[in-house]
Amino acid sequence: MESPPPPKFVAGQDREDRISALPDHLLLDILERLDLREAVRAGALSTRWRRLPKHLSRVHLNVGQFQGVVPLEAMDAFTSAARALLNVVEGQCERGALKVLSLSFYISSPHLSSIGRLVVDVVSLGQTQCLEFCVLLPPSSNTIPLLAENGQQFMSFSRAYPVAFSWLTRLTLKKLVFGHSDVTDLITACGRLRHLYLSFCRLADPFSALKIDVPRSGIQELEFSFVGCTGIELISVPKLRRVGCQNWIFENPPVCFGYVPELCVVQLFSKAKEWQVPFALSECLSRTGSAMNLSELYLDFLHQMIWIQPEHPKQLTAIFKSLTSVFLLGIFSECDLNWTLFILEAAPALQDIALSRHSCIKTPENSAEKRNVVWEPSKDLKHLNLRVLLIQGCEDEDKVTNYARLVMERAVGLKRILLCDQLPCEDCNAINPEPSLRRSQVDEASRHRIKERLTRGSSSSVDIIIC
């Protein structure tokens, strides 16, 4: 018996589409993969979809998604959308369990109170697992007086809504000016805060240090980028696990560590300025001897001056005893590589070293002079745990070959050497793209010659890979 044909669509017939026929939990899963605008549009499809946004478990609202002639109009639209999605009516929550709430908004006095009240209503239900604020300045608020004023407004906002801030787990602040204790006070008030990112922020007195002393805080990650201060002093941050510092503008070292017993990852990225002189890693890492769990170290020189100076391994052995991975990035190609072995000698547990090399065509204004770094490793150095050496950018055969052979001799457990092409450079390609393409073709032949030179006359079983 043949199956009956599928029913035909009849114009004007009220027939639900197949997607709307799915159970609520699947429809919500679809909506949570859309951005806000698409989710709201989906709500216009039917009465079934229209009520679903109230039951999302994750809500991400970004003022950049809303259009307005002036920032106030964008914030009007932002707060209206937040009110529609988050409002709790008569103490009852229409929505399901809101677990993740991420809000990116401008500092705007007429709207901060609305945002604060909405967030307090949501977190008071006790089901929020992740609350994130990304606080931005309106595009027209870049003058120093306005930056300071907006910083004060933000601190007033945090004090006016302590319940909301006590639930914050991640906070991003851009282009704000703070008093000397504001950052410590803020971290202390945000009891659940785990990640803080300061970008283009500064102290009211930029010729002073940013001091963070939060012995009872559970904060785990701190990131700083273009922060206006003479340095960052982490006096006591006992749960801190990762620190990133990019593009510092004053003297070296950019950050000094006090009591940070759980610190695992340090990332320092910057182009050296002409008024900055190289510093010893022990200057910032060994102040109290409490950072004994460091496992990953990232140093990116961005193809300019090497802003650290090699030092006797004994100065770092205690701090590097758990170090397993080192990434030394943006080494300018003319620089010798042997200096990197002072880290190998100071880190007996080290398993991986990654180097990237390149000499950028573009030299930023006020850059420090590039100088070769000279270091002679100990003749009796024998490292037992290093397994992998990665070199990205092999333009100079002699430097790469001599360095790789030196590592092969000293790292008796070495298993693999990876020789890779240099990473694309936006600055070089933007100025003169053709030579960059030709250089890449030449490098392929060069890397093969390096491999031949490394294996010739060697009894080592190291696997050499051209990638």
Side-chain angles (χ1 to χ4, degrees), residues 191-453:
R192 294 175 175 82
L193 192 65
R194 296 297 177 264
H195 184 112
L196 173 64
Y197 177 38
L198 302 181
S199 176
F200 288 94
C201 293
R202 52 165 289 189
L203 295 182
D205 177 9
F207 296 100
S208 61
L210 171 59
K211 299 181 180 182
I212 299 179
D213 187 7
V214 287
R216 294 179 178 82
S217 171
I219 195 164
Q220 297 176 356
E221 298 184 358
L222 290 171
E223 288 189 77
F224 308 95
S225 180
F226 287 103
V227 174
C229 60
T230 57
I232 299 165
E233 297 181 18
L234 305 179
I235 298 170
S236 179
V237 196
K239 299 299 181 182
L240 186 66
R241 297 182 60 82
R242 186 175 74 87
V243 169
C245 190
Q246 302 179 32
N247 301 302
W248 53 93
I249 56 180
F250 283 93
E251 296 180 0
N252 289 321
V255 58
C256 292
F257 298 91
Y259 184 65
V260 286
E262 296 189 17
L263 184 67
C264 296
V265 182
V266 172
Q267 300 172 311
L268 303 178
F269 300 171
S270 191
K271 295 179 179 179
K273 301 297 184 182
E274 59 186 359
W275 55 83
Q276 296 171 334
V277 296
F279 65 95
L281 287 173
S282 60
E283 288 183 48
C284 59
L285 291 170
S286 306
R287 284 291 178 92
T288 65
S290 63
M292 299 299 181
N293 293 307
L294 186 65
S295 59
E296 296 181 20
L297 178 64
Y298 297 77
L299 306 177
D300 192 339
F301 309 100
L302 299 175
H303 319 131
Q304 303 303 313
M305 182 191 80
I306 305 301
W307 36 253
I308 62 167
Q309 60 185 24
E311 56 188 313
H312 197 285
K314 288 183 179 179
Q315 301 293 329
L316 291 166
T317 299
I319 207 77
F320 281 175
K321 67 176 185 180
S322 300
L323 192 64
T324 57
S325 298
V326 169
F327 302 82
L328 303 174
L329 311 175
I331 301 173
F332 65 93
S333 297
E334 298 81 6
C335 186
D336 189 49
L337 296 175
N338 291 1
W339 65 269
T340 65
L341 294 185
F342 86 93
I343 296 178
L344 181 68
E345 191 166 355
L350 194 63
Q351 298 177 11
D352 309 286
I353 293 182
L355 309 175
S356 73
R357 308 169 65 245
H358 173 59
S359 283
C360 188
I361 294 176
K362 185 177 180 180
T363 300
E365 187 178 359
N366 297 324
S367 291
E369 180 184 354
K370 298 178 185 178
R371 295 178 181 176
N372 190 37
V373 182
V374 179
W375 174 261
E376 188 66 33
S378 300
K379 294 181 180 180
D380 58 351
L381 170 61
K382 294 295 179 185
H383 199 281
L384 303 179
N385 292 305
L386 189 69
R387 296 292 181 266
V388 178
L389 169 66
L390 167 65
I391 303 177
Q392 194 128 32
C394 303
E395 301 91 340
D396 188 301
E397 294 183 32
D398 288 336
K399 281 190 174 65
V400 172
T401 304
N402 294 340
Y403 176 75
R405 271 195 171 274
L406 187 58
V407 174
M408 290 168 66
E409 293 170 2
R410 306 303 173 90
V412 295
L414 190 65
K415 299 296 183 184
R416 184 175 301 163
I417 296 177
L418 295 94
L419 304 176
C420 302
D421 198 2
Q422 68 181 25
L423 295 171
C425 176
E426 294 182 0
D427 289 331
C428 287
N429 291 344
I431 295 173
N432 198 353
E434 290 301 324
S436 299
L437 296 175
R438 289 197 299 271
R439 183 171 60 245
S440 179
Q441 295 170 356
V442 172
D443 287 348
E444 184 175 355
S446 174
R447 289 195 304 274
H448 282 290
R449 288 194 297 271
I450 292 173
K451 181 176 180 179
E452 291 178 358
R453 292 172 61 181

Side-chain angles (χ1 to χ4, degrees), residues 54-126:
K54 284 278 189 178
H55 297 271
L56 292 170
S57 64
R58 298 187 294 272
V59 170
H60 300 265
L61 284 174
N62 188 326
V63 67
Q65 296 170 317
F66 300 90
Q67 295 181 346
V69 177
V70 295
L72 284 178
E73 292 181 359
M75 282 299 295
D76 284 340
F78 173 89
T79 50
S80 295
R83 194 175 296 111
L85 285 170
L86 306 176
N87 201 27
V88 178
V89 181
E90 296 181 357
Q92 300 296 321
C93 185
E94 298 179 22
R95 64 190 305 101
L98 179 59
K99 297 179 180 179
V100 178
L101 176 59
S102 176
L103 302 177
S104 297
F105 53 91
Y106 296 140
I107 290 287
S108 171
S109 295
H111 303 94
L112 291 180
S113 58
S114 296
I115 294 171
R117 288 194 298 268
L118 287 170
V119 173
V120 168
D121 288 343
V122 170
V123 300
S124 295
L125 299 171

